[in-house]
Amino acid sequence: MKARIKDKAGPLTAVTHWREADLSLLEELGEKSGSLPDDAPRALLSIRLSTFTAETTSPARQELDLRVLALERGYRVVGIASDLNVSATKVPPWKRRELGTWLNERAPDFDVLLFWKLDRFVRRLTDLNVMIGWCLKHRKNLVSRHEAIDLATPTGIAMIEVIAKVAEIEATGNGTRVASLWDYTKTQSDWLVGKPPYGYTIDPSGKLAIDQGAHRVLRWCHGAALRGVSARRMTMVLTRARIPTGGGGTWTASTLLHRLRNPALLGLRVTEDKTSGARRSKIVHGRDGNPIRVAEGIFTESEWQALQAALASRSKTQPARAPGGATRFLGILVCADCATNMTVHRSKGRQRTYEYLRCRNCPSGGLGAPNPEIVYRRLFDQAMAALGGEPVRVREYMTGADRRERRKVLEDGIAAYLAELEPSGRFSSNAFAREQAEKRLERLIAQLNELGPEGAEDRWIQVGSGETFGRRWERGGPEEMADDLRRAGLVCRIHRSKIPKTRAPEVRLELTVPKNVAELLVIKGNSFERT
């Protein structure tokens, strides 16, 4: 049976399957939980599974066990973060879809994080250390259903580190065994594991055999490439003929080129070439120094070399990938006609190489916008004019105790400045000193107002950094500006108009700024950065 559970905070769990006995227990726990006081510690339940396995580790069983634990300790359940089909080794808690949202955006809404078992929470010691540091900084507790883990005691912290190390050793052992298996299969002529390359299939004996349907496609593409047909044109023909791709999805030029450039079509074992900087495969050689043959080749060596030469003659050299990407302001610059991203392309002429911005859906990329650097500078100037004067604000987490301490410090500072600004104070006799003191007093009052009303609850606050975004962008450059503009949801539409008897079009930029841009520009620090 399916159920969606509600607490005082509203709907909490995703739809899942429940047995009648589980639903009865769930209803009973809900009634008892309703009698807890409103000021009871607030608990967030963390549920995770890599795959649906035994009944004892099912999401329903984990939730019931955690609700029982919460009731025993007097915790009021305020939310459930359910992340299913998620690997704890690959995805840390703060990057999971549901749990990550609670940790990064809703930290003030809970006091205790409950999980069923440590390996359901983390499997890496480094991830655990980050979570412990985060919990101590934000004054949260970690509690496990099946281990003696409680951050409120030194023994609990020691226990959680020991158990996490065992879980990490287990995960490392699994990874080592898998890596060893792959390394072994690369040296064998038989196909032992993995998906065969396009053009081949696995016969009943476990060896690679040529897939006749894919063989006809590859041979046709070979002949078309030698005749000068582009990969884009080939994919159009294959799509119209309803030829299956062999892996789902639709035919694309990049996928076809990757398959035609794969040395596996010679019947040889290949592996990923991680040194080329592009998506390429390289031939694996055996201990005797010769390539390892795993099947009959679809192409001969001479056919293969002729095909590579034909593909290379039509290839276009695109801009080298820079650390920030080949195109600056990617995701901000969009075509005004088709609303797709503008990206940098390079065209080689007789005398020089031209760079221009083009879109994806307009025919032939629309009227290309030449000189991308000029477009970047114009966008930089428009963004500076629109938002350069906005003050930089940073979101910080403030616990109730921290707020009380911070409020007292600010109030004492304000009182001290007010006393010194009196006629008998030390700032009254000098005009410059009085002006500077009044400015510092205004900053203290502004910081006090940012703390919000008095209270013991945790909350996010916004703290001014003392500089404007214009100063920040002058210091950090276009890359810093691009990150801020993307976060704030700004869009710059590029209009291109044809000018009679002129090759280059007229380019006009239209910058759209969201109404709530001030809130979107607030910088949210990463509380989970490893140091």
Side-chain angles (χ1 to χ4, degrees), residues 121-342:
F121 185 57
V122 293
R123 275 189 176 270
R124 291 186 179 276
L125 183 59
T126 53
D127 293 346
L128 177 62
N129 288 336
V130 171
M131 282 304 307
I132 291 176
W134 183 89
C135 288
L136 295 177
K137 176 182 177 181
H138 293 77
R139 304 199 181 187
K140 310 294 182 186
N141 196 3
L142 283 177
V143 176
S144 170
R145 172 67 176 83
H146 288 282
E147 294 99 359
I149 295 173
D150 190 335
L151 288 185
T153 64
T155 304
I157 296 179
M159 176 65 72
I160 196 172
E161 291 183 345
V162 170
I163 297 174
K165 190 59 181 179
V166 174
E168 182 181 21
I169 293 173
E170 180 185 353
T172 303
N174 292 336
T176 302
R177 289 192 292 272
V178 172
S180 177
L181 174 61
W182 280 105
D183 290 340
Y184 172 75
T185 59
K186 290 177 183 178
T187 63
Q188 304 303 305
S189 59
D190 293 337
W191 196 266
L192 302 179
V193 67
K195 183 180 179 181
Y198 181 79
Y200 292 93
T201 185
I202 302 177
D203 63 17
S205 66
K207 295 183 176 296
L208 283 190
I210 294 177
D211 184 312
Q212 295 303 319
H215 178 269
R216 288 191 293 270
V217 171
L218 293 169
R219 296 299 307 188
W220 176 81
C221 291
H222 180 276
L226 297 184
R227 296 192 301 271
V229 179
S230 67
R232 181 182 177 88
R233 178 64 181 172
M234 293 184 209
T235 58
M236 293 173 61
V237 173
L238 294 173
T239 301
R240 284 202 298 265
R242 298 183 178 179
I243 303 297
T245 62
T250 59
W251 286 100
T252 64
S254 60
T255 299
L256 180 60
L257 288 172
H258 177 67
R259 290 176 173 179
L260 294 176
R261 288 172 174 152
N262 192 350
L265 301 181
L266 294 170
L268 306 177
R269 183 175 293 282
V270 299
T271 188
E272 181 184 1
D273 186 0
K274 298 183 179 180
T275 61
S276 64
R279 188 185 175 201
R280 293 287 186 271
S281 298
K282 63 180 180 180
I283 299 174
V284 178
H285 294 77
R287 294 181 179 178
D288 57 0
N290 296 318
I292 300 176
R293 179 165 295 279
V294 292
E296 178 186 355
I298 294 177
F299 299 130
T300 64
E301 180 66 29
S302 59
E303 290 174 335
W304 166 258
Q305 296 298 339
L307 174 61
Q308 303 313 301
L311 296 176
S313 66
R314 292 192 59 88
S315 64
K316 295 182 179 180
T317 304
Q318 296 299 331
R321 181 164 293 278
T327 307
R328 293 185 184 179
F329 299 103
L330 186 63
I332 301 169
L333 294 171
V334 300
C335 173
D337 298 319
C338 67
T340 60
N341 289 334
M342 302 290 292

Side-chain angles (χ1 to χ4, degrees), residues 476-505:
E479 292 76 14
E480 194 87 64
M481 173 184 278
D483 291 340
D484 292 334
L485 296 185
R486 274 191 289 267
R487 184 178 67 255
L490 269 75
V491 174
C492 182
R493 294 178 176 83
I494 296 184
H495 299 263
R496 294 158 290 171
S497 304
K498 179 66 177 176
I499 303 176
K501 300 181 180 180
T502 305
R503 184 173 184 179

Side-chain angles (χ1 to χ4, degrees), residues 12 44-46 79-83 91-110 113 131 134 138 140 395 397 460 524 527-528:
L12 300 175
L44 171 65
L45 311 186
S46 173
I80 298 177
S82 181
D83 295 288
V91 185
W94 56 91
K95 290 187 177 180
R96 296 170 196 164
R97 190 186 63 171
E98 294 199 14
L99 182 56
T101 300
W102 279 90
L103 297 177
N104 291 291
E105 303 296 335
R106 303 186 60 182
D109 297 341
F110 68 95
L113 180 57
M131 282 304 307
W134 183 89
H138 293 77
K140 310 294 182 186
R395 188 187 73 167
Y397 189 84
W460 295 110
K524 299 178 181 179
S527 302
F528 297 98

Side-chain angles (χ1 to χ4, degrees), residues 18 23 27 87 148 221 240 262 302 308 310 385 388 392 400 429 431 502 506:
W18 294 79
L23 290 174
E27 184 177 359
S87 168
C221 291
R240 284 202 298 265
N262 192 350
S302 59
Q308 303 313 301
V392 177
S429 59
T502 305
E506 178 187 4

